């Protein structure tokens, strides 16, 4: 769920005719992010594919607040990821992050998008089997999000060195994120059973339909992250939060840009 947080993860709401209006927190007024770093400054070995700074995401355009394709995190989270990277490399893999700190205006952008039923240009890839007006009720989009606190990230594992990843082209034919590898978008992630940001129950970390290599890969990522102090959100195999995050009650609004790092 996009609105996962450190409290008990929200459960799906009862069916509703239209998306509810979530109560967003009042974001911190600071223009800099105190104690935050650019992940690649801490560990340049970690790969990045910051989807919300590009058109290749469930909205289909760059998201408000993503001025640069960077992974910003609290220093504590970044240093914990460096420990994960050490362990991943020992097994022939590397981390790749899709999203890290997410400013509150980006969350507001998601909420506004959810209320515009005509904007569904990426449905065939990201939510092929879920009506758009169910994304809130079924728990796939929510606000606030732990990402805005700076110690949560979406990530995967790639082989090291990673395979080439074809660039995404706006207008290219879309394939469901639940399709087999080789058919869905050619992400250079090792096979996790679905693509990233797949709004489908098969993206749940322990979904029983995901077996064999994808199941083993999810368990590997979970073990590596858990050993370094991260907690998985069980509805998204890619979503992890630092257990002892330094800002458990603060939601930041500064944009994703190097200039935001204090």
């Amino acid at each position: 769920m996009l609105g996962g947080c450190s409290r008990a993860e929200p459960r799906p709401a009862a069916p509703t005719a239209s998306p509810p209006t979530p109560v967003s927190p009042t974001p911190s007024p600071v223009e800099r992010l105190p104690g935050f770093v650019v992940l690649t400054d801490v560990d340049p070995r970690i790969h990045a594919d910051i989807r919300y700074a590009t058109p290749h995401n469930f909205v289909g355009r760059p998201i408000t607040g993503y001025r640069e394709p960077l992974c910003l995190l609290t220093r504590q989270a970044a240093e914990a990821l460096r420990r994960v990277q050490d362990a991943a490399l020992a097994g022939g893999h590397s981390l790749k992050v899709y999203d890290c700190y997410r400013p509150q205006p980006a969350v507001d952008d998601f909420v506004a998008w959810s209320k515009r039923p005509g904007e569904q240009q990426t449905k065939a890839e990201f939510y092929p089997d879920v009506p758009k007006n169910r994304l809130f009720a079924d728990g796939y989009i929510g606000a606030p999000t732990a990402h805005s606190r700076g110690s949560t990230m979406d990530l995967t594992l790639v082989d090291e060195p990673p395979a080439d990843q074809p660039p995404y082209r706006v207008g290219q034919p879309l394939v469901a994120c639940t399709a087999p590898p080789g058919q869905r978008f050619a992400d250079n992630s090792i096979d996790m059973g679905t693509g990233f940001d797949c709004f489908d129950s098969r993206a749940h970390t322990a979904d029983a339909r995901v077996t064999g290599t994808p199941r083993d890969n999810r368990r590997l990522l979970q073990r590596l992250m858990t050993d370094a102090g991260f907690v998985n959100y069980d509805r998204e195999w890619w979503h992890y939060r630092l257990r002892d995050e330094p800002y458990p009650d603060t939601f930041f609004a500064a944009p994703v840009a190097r200039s935001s790092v204090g």
Side-chain angles (χ1 to χ4, degrees), residues 33-146:
L33 299 168
F36 280 56
V37 295
V38 178
L39 177 62
T40 52
D41 291 348
V42 174
D43 194 335
R45 304 170 300 173
I46 297 175
H47 303 281
D49 182 6
I50 308 300
R51 295 286 183 87
Y52 298 144
T54 79
H56 190 203
N57 57 64
F58 66 90
V59 175
R61 56 168 170 77
I63 304 303
T64 299
Y66 284 80
R67 296 183 184 173
E68 299 176 54
L70 297 173
C71 172
L72 307 185
L73 290 171
T74 61
R75 180 169 292 279
Q76 294 90 328
E79 291 180 348
L81 274 191
R82 181 168 55 189
R83 296 194 293 274
V84 179
Q85 179 72 351
D86 288 339
L89 288 172
H93 298 104
S94 176
L95 295 175
K96 183 177 86 166
V97 290
Y98 294 112
D99 191 37
C100 300
Y101 162 69
R102 183 182 307 162
Q104 184 60 39
V107 181
D108 297 340
D109 194 4
F110 290 161
V111 172
W113 169 84
S114 74
K115 298 177 180 180
R116 296 193 289 267
E119 296 182 18
Q120 300 194 48
Q121 56 264 47
T122 63
K123 175 176 172 58
E125 178 175 357
F126 293 98
Y127 50 108
D129 299 317
V130 180
K132 183 178 178 179
N133 63 5
R134 291 292 313 178
L135 294 181
F136 260 105
D138 290 354
Y140 293 112
I141 302 177
T145 173

Side-chain angles (χ1 to χ4, degrees), residues 113-192:
W113 169 84
S114 74
K115 298 177 180 180
R116 296 193 289 267
E119 296 182 18
Q120 300 194 48
Q121 56 264 47
T122 63
K123 175 176 172 58
E125 178 175 357
F126 293 98
Y127 50 108
D129 299 317
V130 180
K132 183 178 178 179
N133 63 5
R134 291 292 313 178
L135 294 181
F136 260 105
D138 290 354
Y140 293 112
I141 302 177
T145 173
H147 282 276
S148 299
R149 303 196 298 259
S151 296
T152 293
M153 68 288 305
D154 297 333
L155 78 177
T156 189
L157 291 168
V158 297
D159 290 325
E160 186 60 40
D164 291 335
Q165 178 173 299
Y168 173 77
R169 303 183 311 279
V170 176
Q172 72 182 55
L174 300 180
V175 179
C177 56
T178 53
Q183 296 181 30
R184 62 179 183 258
F185 177 74
D187 190 320
N188 59 5
S189 171
I190 62 176
D191 184 13
M192 294 292 188

Side-chain angles (χ1 to χ4, degrees), residues 197-220:
D197 254 4
C198 190
F199 297 165
D200 189 279
S201 60
R202 279 165 284 195
H204 295 183
T205 307
D207 188 87
R209 292 166 293 178
V210 178
T211 60
T213 297
R215 177 191 59 197
D216 293 343
N217 289 340
R218 291 184 184 189
R219 289 177 174 174
L220 172 60

